[in-house]
Amino acid sequence: TTDLQSSLEKALLAQRHYGNVWYVNSGKVGGVAGNGDSWGGAFLTMVAAQAVVKADDVVIVAPGHVETITAAAGLICSVAGVTWIGLGNGNRRPQINFTTAVGADMDVTGANQTFQNFRLTGGFDALTGPLNLAAAGLSFLDIVTEDVTGQATDFIVTTDDCDRLLISGWE
């Protein structure tokens, strides 16, 4: 059923997207990284997916996935036109956890990217801009921000390049 599920997901996404579909799941049974082309062969990290995505690709991130960002530019989303979709509800949404250093952050530098249904958590006190946005046409839909350890000094930091920024459903 996993192959059937992947085929159905790909068919549905192909109706709206022209690129490849990639899968990310840190909780994958066996914990061995795959090539990202199915749930059974999922990447273990979004960083690994970022290394192969191209414009118009879709990255589906599994419920319960945890992406740990421990340094500045710990995740750099630099490819334009990528859609990142998190599956799951409530605390089962994929989590991007910023920890270890106050400067731990995710840099979004590729234009026209969409991020939907993720939990962004602070695992370190006084984070300074864990979400660094430096591209036009970005969309953040149904995102939840939660402090786990302490308060963030600044959470979303943008540059002058961040035209047409859409934030909808942020909690």
Side-chain angles (χ1 to χ4, degrees):
T1 59
T2 301
D3 290 334
L4 176 60
Q5 180 182 7
S6 294
S7 296
L8 289 172
E9 289 167 351
K10 286 181 182 180
L12 289 171
L13 289 168
Q15 293 176 14
R16 292 188 287 159
H17 300 280
Y18 298 102
N20 293 313
V21 178
W22 304 99
Y23 298 86
V24 176
N25 183 6
S26 61
K28 187 175 136 201
V29 176
V32 176
N35 62 4
D37 68 350
S38 67
W39 284 122
F43 292 121
L44 296 179
T45 66
M46 293 170 67
V47 171
Q50 175 56 41
V52 300
V53 295
K54 299 202 178 349
D56 299 319
D57 284 359
V58 175
V59 181
I60 302 174
V61 185
H65 171 80
V66 177
E67 189 82 16
T68 303
I69 308 297
T70 61
L75 172 59
I76 302 172
C77 298
S78 59
V79 178
V82 176
T83 299
W84 301 81
I85 300 173
L87 301 180
N89 296 306
N91 287 343
R92 290 290 298 151
R93 297 177 190 201
Q95 174 184 354
I96 301 174
N97 186 36
F98 303 94
T99 188
T100 307
V102 297
D105 77 356
M106 170 180 163
D107 297 341
V108 183
T109 59
N112 303 314
Q113 293 189 70
T114 297
F115 295 82
Q116 184 170 6
N117 199 44
F118 286 89
R119 290 175 60 226
L120 306 181
T121 59
F124 201 80
D125 195 24
L127 290 168
T128 56
L131 192 55
N132 185 17
L133 309 180
L138 302 177
S139 297
F140 291 84
L141 311 172
D142 304 320
I143 306 293
V144 173
T145 304
E146 299 173 350
D147 279 324
V148 177
T149 304
Q151 301 297 318
T153 302
D154 299 304
F155 201 87
I156 301 172
V157 177
T158 65
T159 68
D160 289 344
D161 297 323
C162 203
D163 297 328
R164 299 180 319 281
L165 172 63
L166 172 63
I167 298 175
S168 178
W170 197 291
E171 184 181 323

